[in-house]
């Protein structure tokens, strides 16, 4: 099995474990978001961090970019250097990290996310 296929299988298995205790609507949203980010940016490497309860995304040149954190009633997409990004979708008043709160049933703002991911990569690459 190619390395990318084994990484994908590992991610899916870890994603199932991570999402199992969550309500179905949140688990479905988190799964869609986690896989959407990889479809948008195949150059990202995703790794589920079961201890953190997240799926983290790294870029080969820019390093850690963002993470998907599923919660009981929503999913947060956290940007490591979100304070330096420009988007009305970003929330939080931390010195560095900002996030987008996604709720089940609401559309995922795919175009806005693609722009933010590209900005986050450009910022650190």
């Amino acid at each position: 099995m190619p390395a990318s296929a084994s990484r994908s299988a590992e991610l899916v298995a870890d994603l199932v474990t991570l999402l199992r205790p969550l309500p179905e609507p949140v688990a479905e949203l988190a799964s869609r978001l986690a896989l959407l980010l990889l479809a948008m940016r195949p150059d990202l490497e995703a790794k589920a961090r079961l201890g953190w309860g997240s799926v983290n995304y790294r870029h080969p040149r820019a390093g850690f970019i963002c993470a998907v954190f599923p919660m009981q009633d929503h999913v947060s997409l956290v940007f490591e250097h979100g304070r330096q990004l420009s988007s009305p979708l970003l929330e939080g008043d931390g010195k560095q990290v900002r996030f987008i709160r996604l709720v089940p049933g609401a559309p995922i703002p795919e175009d806005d996310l693609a722009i933010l991911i590209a900005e986050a990569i450009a910022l650190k690459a």
Side-chain angles (χ1 to χ4, degrees):
M1 180 182 316
S4 62
S6 65
R7 280 196 305 270
S8 295
E10 179 183 342
L11 175 63
V12 169
D14 286 347
L15 197 53
V16 168
T17 301
L18 178 70
L19 300 177
R20 185 175 295 127
L22 295 169
E24 177 59 31
V26 171
E28 192 273 331
L29 173 59
S31 179
R32 275 188 339 168
L33 179 60
L35 298 174
L36 173 66
L37 295 177
L38 287 177
M40 283 181 183
R41 292 298 303 234
D43 55 342
L44 292 178
E45 178 183 319
K47 179 144 180 73
R49 300 287 185 185
L50 299 179
W52 291 9
S54 65
V55 179
N56 295 0
Y57 295 85
R58 294 186 58 80
H59 184 268
R61 289 188 323 279
F64 179 60
I65 299 296
C66 63
V68 172
F69 281 88
M71 308 296 184
Q72 284 298 313
D73 62 346
H74 71 280
V75 176
S76 289
L77 177 58
V78 177
F79 285 87
E80 173 73 6
H81 298 282
R83 177 59 67 195
Q84 298 177 41
L85 301 174
S86 60
S87 172
L89 297 176
L90 290 166
E91 300 178 37
D93 57 3
K95 293 180 183 178
Q96 179 173 314
V97 174
R98 294 186 71 203
F99 64 93
I100 297 173
R101 181 185 178 103
L102 302 163
V103 294
I108 295 174
E110 293 184 31
D111 292 341
D112 293 322
L113 293 184
I115 291 167
L116 276 170
I117 298 282
E119 284 182 12
I121 290 169
L123 180 69
K124 301 309 279 183

